[in-house]
Amino acid sequence: MTPAGRRLDLSLYVVTDSELSLGRSHEEVASQALAGGATVIQLRDKGASTKELCELGQRLQALAASAGGLFIVNDRVDVALAVDADGVHLGQDDMPAHVARKLLGPDKVMGVSVENAKQAERAAQDGADYIGIGAIYEARGTKSDAGDPIGPQAVADLRPRTDLPTVAIGGIKHRNVAEVIEAGADGAAVVSAIVGAEDIAAAATEMKRLIQAARG
């Protein structure tokens, strides 16, 4: 459950990326991904201005809400608050999670990216609602400052070390998503395999099917 009492369904967590979307807007990507079963939409656009992020955020929040999904803003606590997003996701080099929690208050969702048990434990202490484990398969591409791939075994190793829901990220494709779910992840954060697909809705539908099948 989220702090506000909503069920936190991380199963198919789609991260928008304008560089991978084949010229399609964030709104089109989000709308199609939600139609295909995405449970979370995260807005990530490193090239957008604060004004542009706020405008995008308002539209994506409305889309996610109408589909029953969660809308998360990457990195920017100020934008998340400005558009009344469901929450924010922070990397290790972003605003410290304990500071973000004070700004967000108790009812917003906060996710934190981690690579190891120490970071996962700190995220829990700082008030995170979930952790993103990665990069699993690919360390570069959508996030140039990511470290070396840590592999699906990292999910299996961290799963018993935390009570927080977990989502695996970094090179998650249709061919390998079952591995991270079977390793213990509650969901998969997907970028290019869905955002860059010719048919976003179909790619999301198939990814959701594979995730559900891996859960047995």
Side-chain angles (χ1 to χ4, degrees), residues 6 124 179 183:
R6 293 179 61 185
E179 294 177 343

Side-chain angles (χ1 to χ4, degrees), residues 23 33 38 60 92 105 114 116 126 133 152 164 192:
L60 296 188
Q92 289 295 313
V114 307
N116 54 54
D126 288 347
I133 303 174
L164 293 176
S192 61

Side-chain angles (χ1 to χ4, degrees), residues 11-128:
S11 54
L12 182 52
Y13 188 123
V14 175
V15 182
T16 70
D17 191 307
S18 58
E19 294 181 2
L20 299 173
S21 61
L22 307 180
R24 294 166 293 195
S25 68
H26 288 277
E27 296 94 323
E28 183 178 357
V29 169
S31 179
Q32 291 190 32
L34 289 163
T39 55
V40 181
I41 297 293
Q42 182 192 116
L43 169 60
R44 185 168 75 194
D45 190 330
K46 298 292 187 178
S49 68
T50 299
K51 179 181 179 181
E52 289 169 334
L53 287 173
C54 287
E55 291 171 348
L56 280 169
Q58 289 177 330
R59 294 193 289 270
L60 296 188
Q61 171 67 12
L63 282 172
S66 66
L70 288 176
F71 173 58
I72 303 293
V73 176
N74 185 57
D75 297 350
R76 297 288 300 270
V77 175
D78 58 336
V79 173
L81 288 170
V83 304
D84 196 24
D86 293 301
V88 68
H89 186 88
L90 302 171
Q92 289 295 313
D93 295 327
D94 296 324
M95 178 183 290
H98 70 279
V99 176
R101 176 51 76 196
K102 289 180 181 179
L103 294 172
L104 291 166
D107 294 333
K108 296 293 186 184
V109 176
M110 183 174 71
V112 178
S113 293
V114 307
E115 295 182 353
N116 54 54
K118 182 178 180 180
Q119 291 175 351
E121 290 165 5
R122 181 58 185 268
Q125 293 169 3
D126 288 347

Side-chain angles (χ1 to χ4, degrees), residues 162-214:
T162 181
D163 293 327
L164 293 176
T166 61
V167 58
I169 189 168
I172 308 297
K173 312 289 185 187
H174 292 85
R175 66 176 180 273
N176 58 32
V177 66
E179 294 177 343
V180 295
I181 300 301
E182 291 167 356
D186 295 292
V190 184
V191 193
S192 61
I194 290 177
V195 175
E198 182 176 348
D199 187 330
I200 292 171
T205 298
E206 177 61 8
M207 188 71 77
K208 188 75 170 288
R209 185 191 70 79
L210 292 168
I211 289 168
Q212 293 171 336

Side-chain angles (χ1 to χ4, degrees), residues 127-145:
D129 298 297
Y130 72 92
I131 54 174
I133 303 174
I136 302 297
Y137 297 106
E138 294 177 9
R140 305 189 72 85
T142 61
K143 198 167 180 64
S144 60
D145 59 345

